[in-house]
Amino acid sequence: MAHRYSSASGASEQGDSFELLYGPRVESLGGMTVVNPGESKSISRLPAKRLPLRSTTRVVRHLFWVGLAAVTIIIGLSVLASQLHNFLPDTSFFELNSPISCDLYSRSAQSGAFEGAFTINLRGKSHLTFTQAKAIDVIWQLFIGAGGRFLMAWIAYLVFMDGLTRLMEDKPVAYDLYASLTFSTTSLFAMWYGFKAIIFTKGWRSKAFMLWFTLSTIYMLGFPTLMSATAGYLTPSTSGYNMTDGTFLTPNSEELHTCWNVPSGALIGANNGSVFVGPPTYQWDAMSYYGYSGASYDKRELRNVPDAKSLYPQFYDLYYSSLESTAIYNATNSTQPPIDPLTGYISMSDSNFTTNITIEGHQYFFHNTYFDEGFDYSAAYCYNNKTIPNLKDLAECLPENYFVWGFSSLLVYIVLCLQIVWTFSMYLVWLDANIYSALCRSGRRTRGPFRAAADLSEAIGELLGGETCAYTEDELARELSKQPGIRYYSTDDVHKGDISHIGLSSRPKGKVKYNSTKLYGHMEWLNDR
C-alpha cells in the first residue's frame, strides 16, 4: 500500500494545513508521520448503490402522443403533397398570366427537374439590398443550419447511446466501435467505424443498428448544407417585349391587347384579315382561354372586364355569339335533329341546319356550318391594331435593382420529409431502448465520457491486465482488435451475495439483469476467475 511521509520536526510548522489536506496524523516508528490515502480527505470513495425500479407508464404516454403526432404529420404532408404543384416554379416562360415569368430561375426550371429543384420560388423577403440579403442568408445558415445540426447532434448522442446500450446487452461490439461511438459519437470518425461494422458485424440486429446509425449521421452532418440549398437570394427580373418600333412594353401595358384575327371577315360584314381589338392582356387574355397556356375555359370572364361590351363591341360580340351559336335544324325548326323512325338514328337526308351569330346588332347566317374559331377567326396579341405573329420572340428580361430572399418549395418539402423520417427513427430507437433495455429502464445509461471511460477501462483492464501504462495507442488497439468484442453483463446470477456488479467484458458472463433490492458496486468476484 502506498503511503505519504512527512518529517515530525516539520509538523509544528505545517500545523493545521497538513490535517486539513491529509486528515489526522498517525505517528510511526522513526519519528515519521504516516498517512493512509484511504483515510485522506482528498480521496472520495463511492459506496455501492441500488438501481431504482421504474415503471413503463411514461413510455406508454410517449407512445400515445407520438402516435397522435405521427397521424397529424402524415395527414399534413399528404395535404401539402397534393398542393405541391401550386408551389412549384412556373415553367411557362414569358406567359403573360404568369406572376413569375422572367426570373433567371424560371429558365433553370425549364432545363429540367434537377436544376428546377433549386429555384427560389417562395419569396420570404423582397426589395433588399445586397448587404441585407447576404445578412439574412448568413443568419439562416448560422442559426438554422449550424444551430440545427448542433441540436440534432445533442439529440442523436442521447439516442445513439441508449440504442448502443440496448444492443450491447445482447450483442458484442468491437472495442474501437464502442470507443468511437461513445467518445466521438456524431463525427466522421464514428461514421467510418459504423460503416465497417455494417459489413463485418454478425447478426441482423447489429447490422440494422449500424446502418441506421450511419444513415442518421450522414443526414445530420449534411443538414447545414441542405438548409443552405433550400434558401437563397437573387436579383429578380421583369419580362417585357421589345416591339419592332423600339418600344418596350411590359405585360401590364395598356398598349398590348388581346384580339381576334379574322381571316374570314367577309362572312360577318368585315374585311378578310380584319382585326377585332379586345381588352389589354392584363385584364383578359384570349390566348389563355383558348388553351394556349393551359388555363381553364370560362366564357364568363370577359363579362367581368369593365365596359368590355361598349369599348370592344366587335371583339365582345364575336366571342359570345360564336360560343352561344346553336344549330337550328330545318326539319324540326329546333335544336333537336330529325330522327329516322326506322333506324332510330339522325336522319342524314333531313339533317340540314342553320347557325347564326350577331355582330353589333347584325345577324349573319351559316348553312350546315359554324363560324368556326381556329379556322374563320383565332386569338392573337395585338399592338397598334396589328397582330403580333409570335410575341415570345420579342420577349426580353430587365433585371430589377433589388434582391429577394426566399426558398425552393421542392427542396423544402424534401428536407421536411427527411427530417420527419430522421426524427421518428430517433424516437423509435429511444422508445425501444427504454422499453427493452434493463440499464436504460434503471437509469444507468451509457451517457457521458466518465461513465463510458469507467466501463471501457474495466473491460480493458480485465483483458490486458494492469501493466498497460507504457503501451502505445497502436499496440493497445492491435491487442484489442484480436478480441471478439465487448458487451454488458451483470453478476446477479453468478454472485449470490448482497452486492452485485454491472460492467463491460469480452468474456461470456451473465445476461444483464437488475434487482432493485440489491446493491451494485464491487468487482471482488473478478479476482476469483
Side-chain angles (χ1 to χ4, degrees):
M1 178 180 294
H3 297 80
R4 294 184 184 272
Y5 297 93
S6 65
S7 171
S9 60
S12 60
E13 297 177 2
Q14 297 180 4
D16 294 339
S17 61
F18 183 93
E19 295 185 0
L20 181 63
L21 290 174
Y22 301 110
R25 305 169 187 272
V26 178
E27 296 293 336
S28 64
L29 294 176
M32 303 298 292
T33 301
V34 182
V35 180
N36 190 329
E39 300 173 356
S40 170
K41 291 183 179 180
S42 64
I43 297 178
S44 176
R45 298 286 186 179
L46 294 176
K49 178 186 175 182
R50 287 187 175 89
L51 294 177
L53 180 63
R54 299 185 178 182
S55 68
T56 57
T57 304
R58 183 170 64 109
V59 175
V60 173
R61 287 200 301 267
H62 272 286
L63 279 173
F64 171 77
W65 288 112
V66 79
L68 182 62
V71 172
T72 303
I73 291 175
I74 291 173
I75 293 175
L77 280 178
S78 301
V79 173
L80 181 60
S82 66
Q83 299 298 317
L84 186 61
H85 64 279
N86 294 327
F87 301 105
L88 292 178
D90 182 9
T91 58
S92 55
F93 188 54
F94 284 120
E95 195 63 58
L96 290 180
N97 286 11
S98 172
I100 304 174
S101 56
C102 193
D103 287 341
L104 295 179
Y105 62 78
S106 290
R107 294 181 182 270
S108 298
Q110 283 186 309
S111 63
F114 179 76
E115 291 192 20
F118 292 89
T119 58
I120 306 300
N121 62 315
L122 297 179
R123 298 179 176 183
K125 187 66 176 176
S126 63
H127 293 83
L128 300 170
T129 65
F130 173 78
T131 302
Q132 291 172 327
K134 190 66 176 178
I136 293 175
D137 200 52
V138 170
I139 291 172
W140 170 265
Q141 295 186 41
L142 181 62
F143 287 94
I144 304 301
R149 180 169 65 178
F150 178 82
L151 178 61
M152 291 168 64
W154 175 69
I155 295 172
Y157 172 76
L158 300 180
V159 177
F160 287 162
M161 290 301 95
D162 283 1
L164 183 63
T165 301
R166 156 86 165 113
L167 177 67
M168 292 178 65
E169 289 181 8
D170 295 321
K171 306 291 182 182
V173 301
Y175 279 87
D176 54 2
L177 178 62
Y178 177 82
S180 63
L181 262 63
T182 52
F183 296 114
S184 56
T185 310
T186 55
S187 66
L188 290 173
F189 183 71
M191 190 176 68
W192 166 245
Y193 280 105
F195 178 75
K196 289 202 307 182
I198 298 173
I199 302 174
F200 298 108
T201 301
K202 297 180 180 179
W204 70 268
R205 277 194 58 220
S206 299
K207 289 181 180 292
F209 177 82
M210 294 307 165
L211 177 62
W212 166 78
F213 166 79
T214 303
L215 294 178
S216 299
T217 305
I218 290 174
Y219 173 73
M220 182 192 60
L221 295 178
F223 183 78
T225 303
L226 291 175
M227 286 293 99
S228 177
T230 60
Y233 58 92
L234 54 82
T235 302
S237 299
T238 300
S239 62
Y241 305 93
N242 193 4
M243 312 310 290
T244 55
D245 61 358
T247 304
F248 188 83
L249 301 180
T250 59
N252 58 354
S253 172
E254 291 282 353
E255 299 180 64
L256 189 61
H257 289 256
T258 186
C259 59
W260 302 131
N261 182 27
V262 192
S264 304
L267 297 178
I268 54 174
N271 296 325
N272 290 337
S274 295
V275 175
F276 292 175
V277 178
T281 54
Y282 72 88
Q283 288 186 317
W284 193 81
D285 186 0
M287 300 287 280
S288 66
Y289 290 99
Y290 276 81
Y292 289 89
S293 64
S296 61
Y297 174 85
D298 187 348
K299 69 179 183 181
R300 296 171 299 175
E301 289 294 329
L302 182 56
R303 293 192 175 109
N304 295 333
V305 177
D307 301 321
K309 184 173 178 58
S310 60
L311 293 176
Y312 318 104
Q314 290 179 310
F315 182 91
Y316 187 96
D317 289 345
L318 177 56
Y319 180 53
Y320 282 110
S321 187
S322 61
L323 286 178
E324 297 169 357
S325 179
T326 304
I328 303 297
Y329 290 90
N330 299 336
T332 62
N333 196 31
S334 70
T335 59
Q336 300 298 321
I339 303 298
D340 190 325
L342 297 177
T343 63
Y345 295 101
I346 296 176
S347 175
M348 301 304 297
S349 60
D350 298 324
S351 62
N352 295 326
F353 64 91
T354 301
T355 62
N356 71 87
I357 62 173
T358 302
I359 305 295
E360 294 187 290
H362 298 281
Q363 278 191 325
Y364 301 92
F365 295 89
F366 305 92
H367 183 64
N368 290 342
T369 188
Y370 293 86
F371 194 71
D372 189 37
E373 188 278 326
F375 181 78
D376 296 308
Y377 72 100
S378 60
Y381 294 119
C382 294
Y383 171 65
N384 286 341
N385 296 328
K386 296 181 180 179
T387 60
I388 304 171
N390 194 341
L391 186 62
K392 288 187 178 181
D393 290 344
L394 305 176
E396 291 185 2
C397 287
L398 290 182
E400 300 287 355
N401 60 351
Y402 60 87
F403 289 83
V404 297
W405 188 89
F407 303 91
S408 165
S409 60
L410 185 60
L411 285 180
V412 167
Y413 183 79
I414 292 173
V415 173
L416 178 62
C417 292
L418 291 175
Q419 186 64 33
I420 290 174
V421 171
W422 185 89
T423 303
F424 270 96
S425 71
M426 287 288 163
Y427 185 84
L428 292 176
V429 172
W430 177 88
L431 199 64
D432 176 76
N434 282 268
I435 291 176
Y436 296 107
S437 170
L439 294 180
C440 289
R441 288 203 311 272
S442 69
R444 198 277 194 191
R445 306 171 187 272
T446 309
R447 291 180 181 175
F450 299 120
R451 178 67 271 167
D455 288 344
L456 186 60
S457 61
E458 174 193 330
I460 293 176
E462 178 193 13
L463 181 67
L464 303 182
E467 312 297 336
T468 58
C469 61
Y471 288 87
T472 65
E473 170 72 15
D474 291 339
E475 291 172 330
L476 292 174
R478 187 164 50 251
E479 288 298 319
L480 293 175
S481 65
K482 300 175 184 178
Q483 305 304 315
I486 48 177
R487 58 180 287 268
Y488 283 101
Y489 72 93
S490 67
T491 63
D492 290 70
D493 294 335
V494 179
H495 194 276
K496 302 302 182 180
D498 294 331
I499 300 180
S500 296
H501 183 70
I502 294 174
L504 282 177
S505 178
S506 58
R507 301 185 179 187
K509 300 184 187 296
K511 184 177 175 63
V512 176
K513 299 178 182 179
Y514 78 94
N515 188 332
S516 60
T517 63
K518 272 193 172 185
L519 293 173
Y520 289 87
H522 71 82
M523 296 184 291
E524 291 181 1
W525 76 278
L526 295 175
N527 298 324
D528 299 331
R529 71 180 188 274

